[in-house]
Amino acid sequence: GMISVRRATIDDMIRMQNANLNCLPENYQMQYFMYHVLSWPNLSYVAVTPSNEVVGYVLAKMEDKPPHGHITSLAVMRTHRKLGLASILMNQTAASMRETHGAEYCSLHVRRSNRAALSLYQSLEFEIKDVEAGYYADGEDAFAMQRNLIPPGEAASVVAAPKLSTAAAAVKRAEAAAAAAA
């Protein structure tokens, strides 16, 4: 059946935690899922079947200085791999980070040995920025990766001030011209 991707809601939490337990060695408590979805309601997404079974999710948050998004957890059930769901989930959250929060980049950690995840993230334009030794509980190193979210030709500083719409800018120019003429 068709899989759809939509924003995660509080009602999805149990199903997301289920997918997390099924797919990943790093497991989180329910409160941690809740914290993300309540604090940044437009950054976490789920991939669901027509019967509303969660077959994938991305859990994400914002961090400061400079404003950037961070992927806490991404999972797709084995039964639904190779459908491009991970890319759709990651692109959705990246777009929301950028549009809603003015994120300059998106960051994540990945196990050094996780080749499948590494190649997925590299295909999504994430670059390795650093190695964090012993990052995981079992002592494995993490690659710290980043994906730039600032479109080419747009300065980082522009993001902070929302762009005036063209109409508003035209009115301002007309007012300035009238003031100069007076």
Side-chain angles (χ1 to χ4, degrees), residues 105-173:
Y105 61 88
C106 176
S107 63
L108 57 79
H109 291 98
V110 60
R111 284 179 174 270
R112 201 173 189 150
S113 64
N114 191 341
R115 296 199 180 281
L118 260 172
S119 79
L120 166 74
Y121 297 142
Q122 282 165 332
S123 75
L124 291 167
E125 293 174 17
F126 278 85
E127 289 166 16
I128 296 172
K129 291 290 182 190
D130 202 4
V131 178
E132 298 193 22
Y135 178 85
Y136 291 97
D138 60 7
E140 187 175 347
D141 298 348
F143 285 127
M145 303 186 80
Q146 282 185 17
R147 173 187 186 175
N148 174 43
L149 298 180
I150 299 172
E154 193 178 303
S157 57
V158 175
V159 179
K163 287 206 184 75
L164 281 174
S165 74
T166 350
V171 169
K172 280 232 178 313
R173 276 198 303 275

Side-chain angles (χ1 to χ4, degrees), residues 4 11 19 27-29 57 60 67 93 115 136 138 145 156:
S4 52
D11 297 337
N27 301 134
Y28 303 108
Q29 293 186 324
Y57 72 80
T93 190
R115 296 199 180 281
Y136 291 97
D138 60 7
M145 303 186 80

Side-chain angles (χ1 to χ4, degrees), residues 28 32 36 40 43-44 58-64 66-74 90 93-94 97-98 101 103-110 126 132 135-136 142-147 149:
Y28 303 108
Y32 200 55
H36 283 72
W40 301 278
L43 294 188
S44 293
V58 61
L59 190 67
K61 62 181 176 175
M62 285 298 298
E63 293 177 342
D64 291 332
H68 65 278
H70 185 77
I71 305 296
T72 297
S73 183
L74 170 75
M90 290 291 283
T93 190
M97 287 167 179
R98 178 79 196 138
H101 300 281
E104 295 183 14
Y105 61 88
C106 176
S107 63
L108 57 79
H109 291 98
V110 60
F126 278 85
E132 298 193 22
Y135 178 85
Y136 291 97
F143 285 127
M145 303 186 80
Q146 282 185 17
R147 173 187 186 175
L149 298 180

Side-chain angles (χ1 to χ4, degrees), residues 84-95:
L85 294 176
S87 296
I88 295 168
L89 290 162
M90 290 291 283
N91 285 329
Q92 279 281 11
T93 190

